[in-house]
């Protein structure tokens, strides 16, 4: 009853787990497995974009600065990201929802890193006329 065939896209990195250990992994895997004893995480391998705008950054002479931009990023360490963010796979529709949530979480984390770096850079400088 729990035996099922899975076929993933070439832009999806699949981690197949049994008893908490990765037993198979790779891009675009296709395999049969027992869904009662096997878990999967599916991490997208495509690039993502996130937009940011900061209006609360101050220079060393207390001038407000607005900073905006775009960041493109791609996941390279699939196991690490799968451990940090829920990419578990049970069904296609649930996975799409999890992928959308993960994209927001990753975007927020990367935006926070950008804000920290930009603030540090701007805080060390004066506005000169």
């Amino acid at each position: 009853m729990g035996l099922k065939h899975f076929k993933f896209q070439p832009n999806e990195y699949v981690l197949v787990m049994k008893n908490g250990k990765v037993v198979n992994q790779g891009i675009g895997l296709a395999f049969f497995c027992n869904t009662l004893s096997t878990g999967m995480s599916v991490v997208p391998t495509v690039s993502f974009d996130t937009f940011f705008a900061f209006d609360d950054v101050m220079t060393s002479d207390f001038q407000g600065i607005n900073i905006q931009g775009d960041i493109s990023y791609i996941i390279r360490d699939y196991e690490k990201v799968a451990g940090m963010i829920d990419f578990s796979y049970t069904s296609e529709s649930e996975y799409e929802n999890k992928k959308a949530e993960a994209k927001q979480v990753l975007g927020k984390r990367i935006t926070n890193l950008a804000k920290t770096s930009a603030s540090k850079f701007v805080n060390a400088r004066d506005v000169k006329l």
Side-chain angles (χ1 to χ4, degrees):
M1 185 79 181
L3 189 64
K4 188 172 178 184
H5 182 262
F6 292 94
K7 182 174 183 348
F8 294 95
Q9 300 299 315
N11 62 353
E12 297 173 325
Y13 192 90
V14 183
L15 296 133
V16 183
M17 293 160 283
K18 286 187 180 184
N19 299 323
K21 296 189 191 298
V22 176
V23 294
N24 194 9
Q25 61 183 320
I27 294 176
L29 295 180
F31 55 90
F32 285 96
C33 74
N34 181 350
T35 58
L36 301 175
S37 63
T38 305
M40 291 172 279
S41 287
V42 181
V43 181
T45 62
V46 297
S47 64
F48 296 103
D49 298 312
T50 188
F51 171 79
F52 64 87
F54 313 131
D55 60 357
D56 57 350
V57 179
M58 298 288 257
T59 64
S60 63
D61 57 350
F62 304 105
Q63 301 298 312
I65 300 290
N66 296 326
I67 301 172
Q68 63 182 9
D70 289 311
I71 298 175
S72 294
Y73 61 94
I74 190 165
I75 298 167
R76 292 284 183 216
D77 191 342
Y78 306 109
E79 279 191 73
K80 185 174 186 179
V81 171
M84 292 173 26
I85 296 176
D86 185 14
F87 279 108
S88 60
Y89 185 93
T90 52
S91 70
E92 186 67 32
S93 60
E94 187 177 318
Y95 172 67
E96 290 300 323
N97 292 336
K98 285 185 180 184
K99 189 165 62 170
E101 289 175 24
K103 183 179 174 183
Q104 289 178 336
V105 169
L106 283 170
K108 181 71 173 162
R109 289 180 182 176
I110 290 171
T111 298
N112 287 341
L113 290 171
K115 183 173 185 178
T116 302
S117 294
S119 294
K120 185 176 179 180
F121 178 82
V122 170
N123 291 151
R125 284 154 181 77
D126 293 339
V127 174
K128 296 179 183 174
L129 299 175

